[in-house]
């Protein structure tokens, strides 16, 4: 962790030796002060974007108009942003204008919470004009300035408050929470991608149940895509470890919610994971564990297994046993997909001297089942022998003879 500050300190020193100010700022100072792991270090300075670019050999312009330049030092990226203020939030989600300032405290003033409005120099001396340290000591999330105004400027801050309460296990200060209740409706204006990004962090936090209570108490749930359709009892009943688990559990409790899934604009990968979890939970109640092991990835099996441990309504002893058995045999399966079968469609066409068609799938599925059950060795000649005994062709029609 200190390594990032030592590297970043090089940037602060360069800024200073060129007559500018420079500080670590925001989440990295909060996490450093709290003794938490620091993953990225942001820097704030009175140097203007062009000046930042001219001081460092490796820079990337990621939003000059907002004052942000990435400076690369020894392969590590640091966001270096000019002190700025933000004005005119006419749409509850982003400032109409940002303007640069040369006062550090003005920059800190625009930040969301007291704990996020601290700056630190290269000697680890912390500047804390809004008593962030005291709020951290008390475990409190409090806006910088009037909470109602701050949430009116950018409604996403309310979700950030909830996600910090999950990540840090902090309470939202009373006036801040009251303002969240009043301003919850503004969340409807926030881009769904930003909302989802915060929800992912919220659910990944240590104590997402704490955050869920904040969302319910303030009425925020009623203004979130998808969650606005979830009833309060169901919302508080689940114990997920990720946003995707939460969505799957809620759909399990009320399948009509499936129709609202698209409003979250999740990636195909995320939607796929939700679908797989739901399918496994259904299949595990009747499918053989070998088929479960074959059909589902290690990840889905282990996610579903842990979800069942913490969500009794999602679980049954048969499902739990089946999934545990599937996890147990997964690595010993003779094949993991049809691609692993020692014969392919082309070879089948040559073997039976037939043109391609649905029959290939019929045979592949039969082979798949026999190999998985251990009745047939995954070997080309064994497979041919098996086909001689079990596949009948009548006027171009394929029939599998089962014992
Ligand atoms: P994380 O650990 O998730 O990165 P963070 O506090 O660093 O948490 P970022 O989104 O990286 O969060 O933002 C960096 C800093 O920018 C914050 O600490 C805060 O000072 C400021 N900030 C971020 N989002 C907002 C916002 N919506 N309104 C005001 N200030 C914000
Ligand atoms: Mg950050």
């Amino acid at each position: 962790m200190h390594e990032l500050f030592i590297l970043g300190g090089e940037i602060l020193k360069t800024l200073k030796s060129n007559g500018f100010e420079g500080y670590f700022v925001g989440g990295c100072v909060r996490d450093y002060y709290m003794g938490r792991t620091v993953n990225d270090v942001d820097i704030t300075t009175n140097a203007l974007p062009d000046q930042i670019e001219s001081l460092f050999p490796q820079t990337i312009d990621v939003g000059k108009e907002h004052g942000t330049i990435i400076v690369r030092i020894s392969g590590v990226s640091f966001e270096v942003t000019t002190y700025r203020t933000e004005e005119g939030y006419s749409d509850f989600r982003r400032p109409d204008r940002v303007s640069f300032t040369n006062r550090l405290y003005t920059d800190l003033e625009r930040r969301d919470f007291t704990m996020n409005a601290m700056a630190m120099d290269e000697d680890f001396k912390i500047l804390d004009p809004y008593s962030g340290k005291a709020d951290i000591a008390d475990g409190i999330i409090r806006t910088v300035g009037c909470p109602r105004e701050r949430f009116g400027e950018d409604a996403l801050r309310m979700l950030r408050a909830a996600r910090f309460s999950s990540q840090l296990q902090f309470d939202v200060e009373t006036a801040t929470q009251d303002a969240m209740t009043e301003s919850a409706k503004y969340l409807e204006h926030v881009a769904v991608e930003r909302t989802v990004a915060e929800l992912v962090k919220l659910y990944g936090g240590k104590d997402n149940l704490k955050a869920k209570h904040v969302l319910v108490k303030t009425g925020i749930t009623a203004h979130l895509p998808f969650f606005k359709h979830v009833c309060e009892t169901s919302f508080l009943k689940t114990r997920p470890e990720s946003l995707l688990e939460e969505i799957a559990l809620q759909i399990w409790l009320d399948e009509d919610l499936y129709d609202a899934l698209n409003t979250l604009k999740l990636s195909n990968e995320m939607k796929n994971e939700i679908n797989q979890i739901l399918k496994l939970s259904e299949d595990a109640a009747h499918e053989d564990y070998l088929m479960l092991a074959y059909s589902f990835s290690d990840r889905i099996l282990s996610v579903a297994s842990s979800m069942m441990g913490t969500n009794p309504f999602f679980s049954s002893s048969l499902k739990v046993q089946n999934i545990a058995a599937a996890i147990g045999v997964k690595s010993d399966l003779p094949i993991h997909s049809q691609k692993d079968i020692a014969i392919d469609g082309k070879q089948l066409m040559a073997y039976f001297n037939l043109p391609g068609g649905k029959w290939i799938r019929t045979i592949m599925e039969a082979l798949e089942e026999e190999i998985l059950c251990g009745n047939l060795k995954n070997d080309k000649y064994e497979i041919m022998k098996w086909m001689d005994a079990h596949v009948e062709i009548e006027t171009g029609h394929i029939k599998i003879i089962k014992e």
Side-chain angles (χ1 to χ4, degrees):
M1 150 172 121
H2 281 255
E3 213 148 272
L4 279 177
F5 286 115
I6 288 163
L7 272 182
E10 296 298 315
I11 300 178
L12 302 190
K13 282 181 207 149
T14 305
L15 287 165
K16 281 194 178 161
S17 62
N18 284 278
F20 297 106
E21 296 173 11
Y23 294 92
F24 301 120
V25 74
C28 68
V29 181
R30 174 198 70 222
D31 289 340
Y32 167 78
Y33 182 70
M34 291 182 68
R36 285 165 48 90
T37 316
V38 173
N39 297 317
D40 49 36
V41 165
D42 296 334
I43 289 170
T44 187
T45 174
N46 60 346
L48 294 168
D50 287 333
Q51 294 168 322
I52 300 169
E53 279 182 329
S54 71
L55 289 177
F56 300 96
Q58 259 197 306
T59 57
I60 307 165
D61 173 0
V62 283
K64 221 184 227 183
E65 66 286 6
H66 298 114
T68 305
I69 300 286
I70 284 184
V71 174
R72 306 252 311 152
I73 303 265
S74 307
V76 181
S77 295
F78 295 86
E79 271 192 17
V80 182
T81 306
T82 308
Y83 297 161
R84 64 175 205 219
T85 55
E86 297 168 349
E87 290 161 71
Y89 297 83
S90 46
D91 57 3
F92 309 105
R93 52 182 172 180
R94 73 175 79 83
D96 300 336
R97 284 176 305 284
V98 305
S99 36
F100 300 137
T101 153
N102 53 16
R103 289 195 61 236
L104 169 68
Y105 283 19
T106 311
D107 179 274
L108 296 179
E109 196 179 8
R110 72 165 168 95
R111 294 175 183 271
D112 49 4
F113 303 111
T114 57
M115 62 185 178
N116 291 344
M118 303 191 290
M120 183 167 82
D121 69 14
E122 67 274 25
D123 298 320
F124 296 86
K125 191 175 147 249
I126 293 178
L127 287 84
D128 178 23
Y130 302 102
S131 306
K133 280 184 191 173
D135 283 340
I136 288 173
D138 294 340
I140 276 178
I141 300 164
R142 184 200 309 267
T143 52
V144 173
C146 167
R148 234 186 319 146
E149 276 173 30
R150 304 312 310 281
F151 296 140
E153 290 167 359
D154 180 359
L156 188 78
R157 289 171 187 155
M158 293 183 269
L159 265 190
R160 285 175 57 86
R163 79 106 149 152
F164 286 123
S165 81
S166 166
Q167 290 179 320
L168 309 175
Q169 296 177 287
F170 278 14
D171 293 313
V172 182
E173 176 266 338
T174 315
T176 302
Q177 185 164 308
D178 289 347
M180 285 165 73
T181 308
E182 271 178 55
S183 313
K185 54 184 176 292
Y186 301 142
L187 272 160
E188 306 266 358
H189 301 276
V190 171
V192 64
E193 293 80 358
R194 291 180 84 202
T195 299
V196 167
E198 284 304 322
L199 288 174
V200 166
K201 290 184 184 175
L202 183 156
Y203 279 101
K206 258 198 204 146
D207 194 353
N208 64 36
L209 187 59
K210 188 176 181 76
K212 282 171 43 154
H213 280 286
V214 171
L215 296 179
V216 167
K217 249 186 268 166
T218 54
I220 283 179
T221 23
H223 299 285
L224 295 178
F226 183 83
F227 290 95
K228 63 173 72 170
H229 306 288
V230 173
C231 79
E232 194 178 306
T233 326
S234 299
F235 185 61
L236 293 176
K237 180 174 179 171
T238 53
R239 297 292 177 269
E241 279 174 21
S242 71
L243 173 63
L244 299 187
E245 288 187 22
E246 175 75 293
I247 295 168
L249 290 168
Q250 293 304 336
I251 294 175
W252 184 261
L253 287 169
D254 173 8
E255 61 188 35
D256 289 347
L257 283 170
Y258 198 80
D259 297 336
L261 185 55
N262 277 338
T263 58
L264 286 168
K265 294 195 188 162
L266 301 178
S267 66
N268 287 337
E269 198 186 334
M270 289 167 105
K271 279 192 281 194
N272 196 27
E273 181 156 338
I274 294 169
N275 287 328
Q276 288 280 303
I277 292 171
L278 289 168
K279 183 158 181 354
L280 172 56
S281 183
E282 253 175 45
D283 289 0
H286 53 81
E287 280 277 11
D288 180 77
Y289 68 91
L290 278 173
M291 279 319 283
L292 297 181
Y294 181 66
S295 313
F296 295 92
S297 68
D298 281 314
R299 183 179 152 71
I300 295 296
L301 289 166
S302 82
V303 166
S305 156
S306 93
M307 284 167 76
M308 288 187 186
T310 41
N311 294 274
F313 65 88
F314 190 56
S315 174
S316 75
S317 55
L318 176 64
K319 288 204 275 186
V320 170
Q321 273 170 26
N322 261 342
I323 294 176
I327 292 172
V329 297
K330 178 90 183 160
S331 58
D332 297 328
L333 290 182
I335 50 172
H336 295 279
S337 80
Q338 278 191 5
K339 278 193 213 117
D340 296 338
I341 298 178
I343 201 162
D344 64 17
K346 252 195 197 156
Q347 290 167 325
L348 287 179
M349 279 153 65
Y351 191 70
F352 290 104
N353 195 22
L354 283 175
K358 267 200 220 143
W359 64 272
I360 294 183
R361 197 167 139 190
T362 313
I363 293 191
M364 289 304 267
E365 280 173 3
L367 292 175
E368 187 177 46
E369 200 181 318
E370 293 298 306
I371 295 169
L372 273 177
C373 299
N375 296 341
L376 171 61
K377 202 165 163 236
N378 187 25
D379 170 278
K380 196 169 163 187
Y381 295 99
E382 294 288 331
I383 289 175
M384 286 176 179
K385 259 200 301 189
W386 183 89
M387 292 195 300
D388 289 341
H390 294 86
V391 178
E392 243 176 33
I393 309 174
E394 290 164 3
T395 57
H397 248 71
I398 289 274
K399 206 171 130 197
I400 311 276
I401 308 158
K402 298 217 168 173
E403 267 115 55

